[in-house]
Amino acid sequence: MQLLIKNIALLVQVEQGAPVHSLAGKNMQQLPVLENAFLLMENGRITDFGPMETCPLVQAAQVLDATGKMVFPCWCDSHTHLVYAGSREQEFVYRIKGMTYEEIARQGGGILNSAQLLQQTTEEVLFDSAMERLAEITRYGTGAVEIKSGYGLSLDSELKILRVIKEMKKHTDVEIKATFLGAHAIPQQYKTNRQAYISEIIQHMLPAITREGLADYIDVFCDTGFYTVEETSEILQAGALFGLKGKIHANELAVSGGVQVGVQHGAVSVDHLEQIGQQEIDCLLNSQTMPTLLPGTAFFLNIPYAPARQMIDAGLPVCLASDYNPGSTPSGRMAFVLSLACLKLQMLPEEAINAATINGARAMELQQTHGSICRGKVANVFITKPMPSVAFLPYAFGSNLVETVILKGKVVHTTAKG
Ligand code: NIG
Ligand code: FE
């Protein structure tokens, strides 16, 4: 089945020459576009695109007219925790009254609060609520997403989350990667014997999870009050033995050593990075690890933003993701993440778009199939409402400019009239 979009005012993030797998430094400003273009999709893939004058006369089954509108590759959101139970607005109120995220966590709130709720929730209920969140982010233009476990913190509950993620993969055309985050917090009953919980992760959870093929990556929250560098190293090493590469939480709350330990273990990405300096930047410059920034978290927790400008100016790539989770970022709306990146991280709109598309794909090792408009790539794209320029998207921070979402070459959502 063919789908043709014609009269596209601007086709954004087109790859014409040699494939680009991620963009770093000054190159992050390069956002290749085509004016007055067409895009042809067939059997779930992008088969052709180009200027309207060269639009082939196809007997396309479906034709969409995008006059005045733009077409983007769908967002690649490489860091979320969207399988969770309940919500945590009470903690949001505590923070308004002056408590910090760490204080709430120390008192058994935070991640442990979500873990308790999740342990009491059935797989079916978790699946339904996670599918609703997935449908929501799909409407906002996300076409590939990484989802972490980490609100289980026991063998059964971690398996429960990861099985939900596996089931989700069967019910969506959003590309999903799963990450095992047993090391998200130390459960209350292990507070005085951390090593016993780490052994549980390594000796019981990892083998069970990999036996069922439930995870693509392994994650550790390497930060003050959570996991130390040594513990992170031990867990990443064990994950590697089971074939899982790292995608880790690093340097959110403190200069934790998380960046260095992630890079040492060849992590695909190190995420958060609100607390980094020149040493971490130098370490990342000598690596293949994608630095991933989550400005929605800094916004919601009122903590400092990551130094994206310094990182890009030093020649690094930067990826943007939502961190959608009930505690620190109850939102998976990538367009707002882009607005924050522009306003708070001083990223240019073009840099932010690259960070949320091709670099996001790279952070999930999906750069061969997602993250740009390229012949042969999966046809996950969205059509915007009429927009005067690319910068309008992060500028109009409160508006949902995503009008039609196409996954694997099929329209899955539209608010377009007619
Ligand atoms: O990425 N930082 C660790 N984990 C999540 C927050 C989890 C929570 O508070 O529930 C994050 O921000
Ligand atoms: Fe996170």
PDB file of all heavy atoms in Angstrom, residues 79 81 88 91 101 110-111 114 151 181 184 221 249 252 272 294 297 301 323 325-329, ligand 1:
ATOM      1  N   HIS A  79      14.681   8.116  26.106  1.00  0.00           N
ATOM      2  CA  HIS A  79      14.743   7.921  27.574  1.00  0.00           C
ATOM      3  C   HIS A  79      13.362   8.191  28.178  1.00  0.00           C
ATOM      4  O   HIS A  79      12.947   9.344  28.293  1.00  0.00           O
ATOM      5  CB  HIS A  79      15.791   8.880  28.160  1.00  0.00           C
ATOM      6  CG  HIS A  79      15.989   8.770  29.637  1.00  0.00           C
ATOM      7  ND1 HIS A  79      17.250   8.823  30.231  1.00  0.00           N
ATOM      8  CD2 HIS A  79      15.114   8.652  30.676  1.00  0.00           C
ATOM      9  CE1 HIS A  79      17.120   8.715  31.544  1.00  0.00           C
ATOM     10  NE2 HIS A  79      15.829   8.628  31.843  1.00  0.00           N
ATOM     11  N   HIS A  81      10.293   6.382  31.167  1.00  0.00           N
ATOM     12  CA  HIS A  81       9.911   5.349  32.142  1.00  0.00           C
ATOM     13  C   HIS A  81       8.378   5.277  32.076  1.00  0.00           C
ATOM     14  O   HIS A  81       7.704   5.510  33.070  1.00  0.00           O
ATOM     15  CB  HIS A  81      10.280   5.757  33.566  1.00  0.00           C
ATOM     16  CG  HIS A  81      11.688   6.244  33.782  1.00  0.00           C
ATOM     17  ND1 HIS A  81      12.556   5.599  34.639  1.00  0.00           N
ATOM     18  CD2 HIS A  81      12.379   7.318  33.299  1.00  0.00           C
ATOM     19  CE1 HIS A  81      13.709   6.258  34.676  1.00  0.00           C
ATOM     20  NE2 HIS A  81      13.633   7.298  33.875  1.00  0.00           N
ATOM     21  N   ARG A  88       2.289  10.994  41.162  1.00  0.00           N
ATOM     22  CA  ARG A  88       2.970  11.500  42.358  1.00  0.00           C
ATOM     23  C   ARG A  88       2.796  13.014  42.522  1.00  0.00           C
ATOM     24  O   ARG A  88       3.727  13.718  42.887  1.00  0.00           O
ATOM     25  CB  ARG A  88       4.462  11.115  42.304  1.00  0.00           C
ATOM     26  CG  ARG A  88       4.720   9.616  42.107  1.00  0.00           C
ATOM     27  CD  ARG A  88       5.788   9.085  43.037  1.00  0.00           C
ATOM     28  NE  ARG A  88       7.038   9.790  42.931  1.00  0.00           N
ATOM     29  CZ  ARG A  88       8.061   9.418  42.138  1.00  0.00           C
ATOM     30  NH1 ARG A  88       7.992   8.332  41.414  1.00  0.00           N
ATOM     31  NH2 ARG A  88       9.160  10.134  42.114  1.00  0.00           N
ATOM     32  N   GLU A  91       3.957  14.693  45.815  1.00  0.00           N
ATOM     33  CA  GLU A  91       5.371  15.086  45.957  1.00  0.00           C
ATOM     34  C   GLU A  91       5.643  16.420  45.256  1.00  0.00           C
ATOM     35  O   GLU A  91       6.487  17.205  45.698  1.00  0.00           O
ATOM     36  CB  GLU A  91       6.278  14.000  45.380  1.00  0.00           C
ATOM     37  CG  GLU A  91       6.189  12.712  46.173  1.00  0.00           C
ATOM     38  CD  GLU A  91       7.000  11.578  45.560  1.00  0.00           C
ATOM     39  OE1 GLU A  91       7.816  11.824  44.654  1.00  0.00           O
ATOM     40  OE2 GLU A  91       6.798  10.434  46.006  1.00  0.00           O
ATOM     41  N   TYR A 101      13.883  16.980  45.947  1.00  0.00           N
ATOM     42  CA  TYR A 101      13.658  15.635  45.382  1.00  0.00           C
ATOM     43  C   TYR A 101      14.375  14.588  46.235  1.00  0.00           C
ATOM     44  O   TYR A 101      13.817  13.531  46.550  1.00  0.00           O
ATOM     45  CB  TYR A 101      14.200  15.626  43.941  1.00  0.00           C
ATOM     46  CG  TYR A 101      14.039  14.323  43.204  1.00  0.00           C
ATOM     47  CD1 TYR A 101      12.826  13.949  42.653  1.00  0.00           C
ATOM     48  CD2 TYR A 101      15.133  13.460  43.056  1.00  0.00           C
ATOM     49  CE1 TYR A 101      12.682  12.754  41.970  1.00  0.00           C
ATOM     50  CE2 TYR A 101      15.003  12.261  42.371  1.00  0.00           C
ATOM     51  CZ  TYR A 101      13.782  11.917  41.827  1.00  0.00           C
ATOM     52  OH  TYR A 101      13.651  10.718  41.152  1.00  0.00           O
ATOM     53  N   GLY A 110       9.293   9.246  46.350  1.00  0.00           N
ATOM     54  CA  GLY A 110      10.043   9.112  45.105  1.00  0.00           C
ATOM     55  C   GLY A 110       9.871   7.752  44.460  1.00  0.00           C
ATOM     56  O   GLY A 110       8.774   7.192  44.404  1.00  0.00           O
ATOM     57  N   ILE A 111      10.993   7.217  43.988  1.00  0.00           N
ATOM     58  CA  ILE A 111      10.971   5.961  43.237  1.00  0.00           C
ATOM     59  C   ILE A 111      10.350   4.839  44.085  1.00  0.00           C
ATOM     60  O   ILE A 111       9.582   4.016  43.580  1.00  0.00           O
ATOM     61  CB  ILE A 111      12.406   5.609  42.786  1.00  0.00           C
ATOM     62  CG1 ILE A 111      12.912   6.695  41.808  1.00  0.00           C
ATOM     63  CG2 ILE A 111      12.466   4.232  42.153  1.00  0.00           C
ATOM     64  CD1 ILE A 111      14.407   6.677  41.561  1.00  0.00           C
ATOM     65  N   SER A 114       6.642   4.913  43.945  1.00  0.00           N
ATOM     66  CA  SER A 114       6.118   4.331  42.685  1.00  0.00           C
ATOM     67  C   SER A 114       6.264   2.812  42.694  1.00  0.00           C
ATOM     68  O   SER A 114       5.411   2.101  42.154  1.00  0.00           O
ATOM     69  CB  SER A 114       6.866   4.893  41.478  1.00  0.00           C
ATOM     70  OG  SER A 114       6.452   6.203  41.227  1.00  0.00           O
ATOM     71  N   TYR A 151      10.637   0.530  38.314  1.00  0.00           N
ATOM     72  CA  TYR A 151       9.661   0.780  39.384  1.00  0.00           C
ATOM     73  C   TYR A 151       9.184  -0.553  39.974  1.00  0.00           C
ATOM     74  O   TYR A 151       8.138  -0.617  40.602  1.00  0.00           O
ATOM     75  CB  TYR A 151       8.472   1.601  38.871  1.00  0.00           C
ATOM     76  CG  TYR A 151       8.837   3.024  38.545  1.00  0.00           C
ATOM     77  CD1 TYR A 151       8.644   3.535  37.266  1.00  0.00           C
ATOM     78  CD2 TYR A 151       9.387   3.855  39.515  1.00  0.00           C
ATOM     79  CE1 TYR A 151       8.990   4.842  36.960  1.00  0.00           C
ATOM     80  CE2 TYR A 151       9.743   5.159  39.214  1.00  0.00           C
ATOM     81  CZ  TYR A 151       9.542   5.640  37.940  1.00  0.00           C
ATOM     82  OH  TYR A 151       9.884   6.928  37.645  1.00  0.00           O
ATOM     83  N   LEU A 181      16.196  -1.523  34.405  1.00  0.00           N
ATOM     84  CA  LEU A 181      16.701  -0.554  35.386  1.00  0.00           C
ATOM     85  C   LEU A 181      16.405  -1.036  36.812  1.00  0.00           C
ATOM     86  O   LEU A 181      15.822  -0.345  37.628  1.00  0.00           O
ATOM     87  CB  LEU A 181      16.073   0.833  35.088  1.00  0.00           C
ATOM     88  CG  LEU A 181      16.330   2.014  36.021  1.00  0.00           C
ATOM     89  CD1 LEU A 181      17.821   2.287  36.245  1.00  0.00           C
ATOM     90  CD2 LEU A 181      15.662   3.289  35.504  1.00  0.00           C
ATOM     91  N   HIS A 184      17.535   1.222  40.081  1.00  0.00           N
ATOM     92  CA  HIS A 184      16.952   2.572  40.036  1.00  0.00           C
ATOM     93  C   HIS A 184      16.998   3.197  41.422  1.00  0.00           C
ATOM     94  O   HIS A 184      17.153   4.400  41.587  1.00  0.00           O
ATOM     95  CB  HIS A 184      15.509   2.467  39.517  1.00  0.00           C
ATOM     96  CG  HIS A 184      14.926   3.737  39.005  1.00  0.00           C
ATOM     97  ND1 HIS A 184      13.599   3.872  38.706  1.00  0.00           N
ATOM     98  CD2 HIS A 184      15.477   4.942  38.721  1.00  0.00           C
ATOM     99  CE1 HIS A 184      13.368   5.093  38.266  1.00  0.00           C
ATOM    100  NE2 HIS A 184      14.490   5.768  38.268  1.00  0.00           N
ATOM    101  N   PHE A 221      21.071   4.070  38.103  1.00  0.00           N
ATOM    102  CA  PHE A 221      20.976   5.473  38.532  1.00  0.00           C
ATOM    103  C   PHE A 221      22.231   5.773  39.355  1.00  0.00           C
ATOM    104  O   PHE A 221      22.265   5.542  40.565  1.00  0.00           O
ATOM    105  CB  PHE A 221      19.703   5.664  39.358  1.00  0.00           C
ATOM    106  CG  PHE A 221      19.361   7.088  39.715  1.00  0.00           C
ATOM    107  CD1 PHE A 221      20.095   8.179  39.250  1.00  0.00           C
ATOM    108  CD2 PHE A 221      18.254   7.360  40.531  1.00  0.00           C
ATOM    109  CE1 PHE A 221      19.748   9.491  39.574  1.00  0.00           C
ATOM    110  CE2 PHE A 221      17.903   8.665  40.864  1.00  0.00           C
ATOM    111  CZ  PHE A 221      18.662   9.726  40.393  1.00  0.00           C
ATOM    112  N   HIS A 249      21.741   6.583  33.920  1.00  0.00           N
ATOM    113  CA  HIS A 249      21.407   7.862  34.556  1.00  0.00           C
ATOM    114  C   HIS A 249      22.671   8.368  35.235  1.00  0.00           C
ATOM    115  O   HIS A 249      23.188   7.712  36.143  1.00  0.00           O
ATOM    116  CB  HIS A 249      20.347   7.659  35.634  1.00  0.00           C
ATOM    117  CG  HIS A 249      18.965   7.493  35.114  1.00  0.00           C
ATOM    118  ND1 HIS A 249      18.520   6.344  34.518  1.00  0.00           N
ATOM    119  CD2 HIS A 249      17.909   8.357  35.120  1.00  0.00           C
ATOM    120  CE1 HIS A 249      17.246   6.503  34.169  1.00  0.00           C
ATOM    121  NE2 HIS A 249      16.851   7.710  34.523  1.00  0.00           N
ATOM    122  N   GLU A 252      22.859  13.667  37.525  1.00  0.00           N
ATOM    123  CA  GLU A 252      21.640  14.488  37.610  1.00  0.00           C
ATOM    124  C   GLU A 252      21.699  15.370  38.863  1.00  0.00           C
ATOM    125  O   GLU A 252      21.400  16.562  38.828  1.00  0.00           O
ATOM    126  CB  GLU A 252      20.399  13.591  37.676  1.00  0.00           C
ATOM    127  CG  GLU A 252      19.097  14.362  37.925  1.00  0.00           C
ATOM    128  CD  GLU A 252      17.874  13.472  38.080  1.00  0.00           C
ATOM    129  OE1 GLU A 252      17.999  12.229  38.024  1.00  0.00           O
ATOM    130  OE2 GLU A 252      16.774  14.024  38.267  1.00  0.00           O
ATOM    131  N   HIS A 272      20.974  12.677  31.416  1.00  0.00           N
ATOM    132  CA  HIS A 272      20.758  13.729  32.429  1.00  0.00           C
ATOM    133  C   HIS A 272      21.846  14.781  32.308  1.00  0.00           C
ATOM    134  O   HIS A 272      21.637  15.812  31.704  1.00  0.00           O
ATOM    135  CB  HIS A 272      20.701  13.190  33.882  1.00  0.00           C
ATOM    136  CG  HIS A 272      19.324  12.779  34.276  1.00  0.00           C
ATOM    137  ND1 HIS A 272      18.295  13.664  34.421  1.00  0.00           N
ATOM    138  CD2 HIS A 272      18.819  11.558  34.534  1.00  0.00           C
ATOM    139  CE1 HIS A 272      17.210  12.997  34.767  1.00  0.00           C
ATOM    140  NE2 HIS A 272      17.500  11.713  34.830  1.00  0.00           N
ATOM    141  N   LEU A 294      17.900  15.931  29.313  1.00  0.00           N
ATOM    142  CA  LEU A 294      16.473  15.788  29.633  1.00  0.00           C
ATOM    143  C   LEU A 294      15.990  17.078  30.297  1.00  0.00           C
ATOM    144  O   LEU A 294      15.741  17.111  31.503  1.00  0.00           O
ATOM    145  CB  LEU A 294      16.306  14.588  30.583  1.00  0.00           C
ATOM    146  CG  LEU A 294      17.066  13.306  30.188  1.00  0.00           C
ATOM    147  CD1 LEU A 294      17.125  12.310  31.333  1.00  0.00           C
ATOM    148  CD2 LEU A 294      16.424  12.666  28.967  1.00  0.00           C
ATOM    149  N   THR A 297      13.163  17.443  32.954  1.00  0.00           N
ATOM    150  CA  THR A 297      13.419  17.085  34.351  1.00  0.00           C
ATOM    151  C   THR A 297      13.936  18.292  35.127  1.00  0.00           C
ATOM    152  O   THR A 297      13.474  18.568  36.247  1.00  0.00           O
ATOM    153  CB  THR A 297      14.464  15.944  34.407  1.00  0.00           C
ATOM    154  OG1 THR A 297      14.070  14.941  33.496  1.00  0.00           O
ATOM    155  CG2 THR A 297      14.593  15.383  35.799  1.00  0.00           C
ATOM    156  N   LEU A 301      11.910  19.753  38.242  1.00  0.00           N
ATOM    157  CA  LEU A 301      12.509  19.661  39.584  1.00  0.00           C
ATOM    158  C   LEU A 301      13.159  20.968  40.014  1.00  0.00           C
ATOM    159  O   LEU A 301      13.687  21.056  41.119  1.00  0.00           O
ATOM    160  CB  LEU A 301      13.557  18.538  39.641  1.00  0.00           C
ATOM    161  CG  LEU A 301      13.058  17.107  39.463  1.00  0.00           C
ATOM    162  CD1 LEU A 301      14.212  16.120  39.655  1.00  0.00           C
ATOM    163  CD2 LEU A 301      11.929  16.776  40.442  1.00  0.00           C
ATOM    164  N   ASP A 323      12.330  11.775  29.281  1.00  0.00           N
ATOM    165  CA  ASP A 323      12.385  11.220  30.653  1.00  0.00           C
ATOM    166  C   ASP A 323      10.982  11.016  31.228  1.00  0.00           C
ATOM    167  O   ASP A 323      10.812  10.977  32.449  1.00  0.00           O
ATOM    168  CB  ASP A 323      13.220  12.111  31.586  1.00  0.00           C
ATOM    169  CG  ASP A 323      13.694  11.374  32.842  1.00  0.00           C
ATOM    170  OD1 ASP A 323      13.623  10.133  32.861  1.00  0.00           O
ATOM    171  OD2 ASP A 323      14.123  12.042  33.796  1.00  0.00           O
ATOM    172  N   ASN A 325       8.170  10.216  33.204  1.00  0.00           N
ATOM    173  CA  ASN A 325       8.050   9.366  34.399  1.00  0.00           C
ATOM    174  C   ASN A 325       7.184  10.080  35.431  1.00  0.00           C
ATOM    175  O   ASN A 325       6.990  11.295  35.346  1.00  0.00           O
ATOM    176  CB  ASN A 325       9.442   9.037  34.954  1.00  0.00           C
ATOM    177  CG  ASN A 325      10.060  10.189  35.720  1.00  0.00           C
ATOM    178  OD1 ASN A 325       9.676  10.482  36.856  1.00  0.00           O
ATOM    179  ND2 ASN A 325      11.011  10.878  35.106  1.00  0.00           N
ATOM    180  N   PRO A 326       6.668   9.365  36.450  1.00  0.00           N
ATOM    181  CA  PRO A 326       5.716  10.002  37.366  1.00  0.00           C
ATOM    182  C   PRO A 326       6.341  10.947  38.386  1.00  0.00           C
ATOM    183  O   PRO A 326       5.626  11.737  39.002  1.00  0.00           O
ATOM    184  CB  PRO A 326       5.090   8.806  38.091  1.00  0.00           C
ATOM    185  CG  PRO A 326       6.158   7.768  38.064  1.00  0.00           C
ATOM    186  CD  PRO A 326       6.857   7.935  36.744  1.00  0.00           C
ATOM    187  N   GLY A 327       7.678  10.844  38.585  1.00  0.00           N
ATOM    188  CA  GLY A 327       8.286  11.616  39.664  1.00  0.00           C
ATOM    189  C   GLY A 327       8.928  12.912  39.220  1.00  0.00           C
ATOM    190  O   GLY A 327       8.595  13.991  39.707  1.00  0.00           O
ATOM    191  N   SER A 328       9.830  12.812  38.247  1.00  0.00           N
ATOM    192  CA  SER A 328      10.610  14.002  37.896  1.00  0.00           C
ATOM    193  C   SER A 328      10.181  14.649  36.585  1.00  0.00           C
ATOM    194  O   SER A 328      10.617  15.772  36.292  1.00  0.00           O
ATOM    195  CB  SER A 328      12.102  13.652  37.816  1.00  0.00           C
ATOM    196  OG  SER A 328      12.350  12.856  36.684  1.00  0.00           O
ATOM    197  N   THR A 329       9.338  13.985  35.806  1.00  0.00           N
ATOM    198  CA  THR A 329       8.946  14.539  34.489  1.00  0.00           C
ATOM    199  C   THR A 329       7.654  13.901  33.990  1.00  0.00           C
ATOM    200  O   THR A 329       7.678  13.033  33.121  1.00  0.00           O
ATOM    201  CB  THR A 329      10.041  14.259  33.414  1.00  0.00           C
ATOM    202  OG1 THR A 329      11.328  14.275  34.015  1.00  0.00           O
ATOM    203  CG2 THR A 329       9.969  15.256  32.277  1.00  0.00           C
TER     204      THR A 329
HETATM  205  O1  NIG B   1      15.188   9.965  35.290  1.00  0.00           O
HETATM  206  N1  NIG B   1      16.628   9.968  37.969  1.00  0.00           N
HETATM  207  C1  NIG B   1      16.131   8.858  38.118  1.00  0.00           C
HETATM  208  N2  NIG B   1      14.994   8.415  37.625  1.00  0.00           N
HETATM  209  C2  NIG B   1      13.980   9.231  37.097  1.00  0.00           C
HETATM  210  C3  NIG B   1      13.059   9.735  38.133  1.00  0.00           C
HETATM  211  C4  NIG B   1      12.332   8.665  38.775  1.00  0.00           C
HETATM  212  C5  NIG B   1      11.271   9.098  39.731  1.00  0.00           C
HETATM  213  O2  NIG B   1      11.395  10.093  40.472  1.00  0.00           O
HETATM  214  O3  NIG B   1      10.283   8.376  39.755  1.00  0.00           O
HETATM  215  C6  NIG B   1      14.589  10.318  36.287  1.00  0.00           C
HETATM  216  O4  NIG B   1      14.476  11.502  36.592  1.00  0.00           O
END
